[in-house]
Amino acid sequence: MATSRLQMEGDDSVLLHVTHSNLKSFAADVRFSPQMNVEAVKEKLWKKCGTSVNAMALELYDESGSKVAALSDDTRPLGFYSPFDGFRLHIVDLDPSSVTTGGWLEDTSLVEKYNISEEDYAKRTDSFRKFKEKRVSQNPGTSEVKTKEDFMEDLCANIKVGDRCQVEPGEKRGVVKYVGRAESLGPGYWVGIQYDEPLGKHDGMVKGTRFFECPPLHGAVVRPDKVKVGDYPERDPFEEDEI
């Protein structure tokens, strides 16, 4: 039976594919307990997409794309609407001034960039260029140490795409999406992470190069010494409220 193929043995939770009305590239598979009420589901989702609970409407669709129900009663448990693994939970952002509107979370070309002319930059006394010039003048015999192409390659030996991980600082959890070189970021090896929550800076594209795919603001590319792989399951945002 198609609706049971994703179910974990001994687990009564349901795995839903989440989409968003404003964020066309947003897509995530999220596991929910049927005992959670609709309001708790919204609380869990706003951390992933940025839409506030009060401005969020939820719609449930089956695997064929047919609408099953509008989750209009925040007090009802999710299980009341009979979701199955593989169903789609669609977020509708009702706030016209929401951070998700206008496409600027996905299209960086819409963000106004600060530009400075070469002439004006050369006049600045607090620039990195001036700092380097001053350092060289004070230590003329000192040459810059170049980062090797295999920098931190050894630390990537036990890091594989698909591994659950925790990133320092901040104990941010997620899944490894990329391991390898990233010339646009600098020599050596890097690790691409999709965070469980929107704690990142992008959607897997950095400086015009796509290293992996993930929802907006869930992506990060860090050095492997910041990454610990192992048993780091997704945190339940409500576990601290339990007695």
Side-chain angles (χ1 to χ4, degrees):
M1 182 176 178
T3 55
S4 63
R5 69 179 183 276
L6 297 174
Q7 189 69 36
M8 297 174 65
E9 184 177 355
D11 184 7
D12 65 349
S13 63
V14 61
L15 186 66
L16 303 179
H17 184 66
V18 181
T19 56
H20 195 284
S21 61
N22 292 341
L23 303 174
K24 303 308 178 185
S25 64
F26 177 85
D29 293 325
V30 184
R31 191 168 291 279
F32 300 92
S33 168
Q35 285 74 44
M36 296 174 67
N37 62 26
V38 173
E39 184 176 15
V41 172
K42 291 180 178 180
E43 286 280 356
K44 186 170 185 177
L45 289 174
W46 83 260
K47 296 181 179 180
K48 295 182 177 294
C49 69
T51 298
S52 66
V53 173
N54 294 333
M56 186 186 301
L58 298 177
E59 299 173 346
L60 185 66
Y61 293 82
D62 64 19
E63 291 179 311
S64 68
S66 299
K67 186 175 180 179
V68 175
L71 282 60
S72 56
D73 189 342
D74 285 354
T75 64
R76 287 193 181 277
L78 177 62
F80 172 81
Y81 298 97
S82 301
F84 288 95
D85 282 346
F87 275 24
R88 179 166 66 94
L89 187 60
H90 185 60
I91 301 169
V92 180
D93 195 325
L94 304 175
D95 183 2
S97 60
S98 170
V99 295
T100 67
T101 59
W104 66 273
L105 282 180
E106 298 176 294
D107 187 356
T108 57
S109 67
L110 299 176
V111 181
E112 184 177 356
K113 309 297 191 300
Y114 174 72
N115 294 305
I116 184 172
S117 68
E118 175 64 25
E119 182 181 359
D120 289 338
Y121 184 73
K123 293 178 180 179
R124 296 184 65 120
T125 59
D126 58 349
S127 66
F128 181 66
R129 180 188 298 174
K130 291 295 184 182
F131 168 77
K132 290 176 63 178
E133 291 174 352
K134 182 178 180 181
R135 185 176 180 183
V136 171
S137 65
Q138 292 175 342
N139 301 279
T142 302
S143 59
E144 292 187 11
V145 178
K146 293 186 177 181
T147 304
K148 296 181 179 179
E149 290 299 321
D150 62 351
F151 181 59
M152 293 195 178
E153 180 181 9
D154 56 325
L155 299 181
C156 294
N158 297 319
I159 303 176
K160 303 183 299 297
V161 172
D163 284 346
R164 290 290 304 175
C165 65
Q166 182 167 282
V167 180
E168 300 295 345
E171 297 184 346
K172 299 182 289 289
R173 292 189 181 183
V175 60
V176 176
K177 300 285 285 187
Y178 174 83
V179 180
R181 292 189 176 92
E183 294 182 2
S184 59
L185 299 180
Y189 279 69
W190 300 80
V191 180
I193 308 293
Q194 176 179 326
Y195 290 133
D196 296 333
E197 299 179 18
L199 303 172
K201 298 181 178 179
H202 48 73
D203 64 353
M205 178 177 286
V206 184
K207 295 185 177 180
T209 301
R210 179 160 297 284
F211 294 98
F212 56 94
E213 298 274 356
C214 75
L217 302 180
H218 283 65
V221 180
V222 301
R223 287 295 190 184
D225 62 338
K226 307 297 183 184
V227 181
K228 296 179 181 179
V229 297
D231 184 17
Y232 295 107
E234 183 175 354
R235 289 190 176 94
D236 184 345
F238 305 104
E239 63 183 1
E240 296 181 358
D241 297 333
E242 296 179 356
I243 299 176

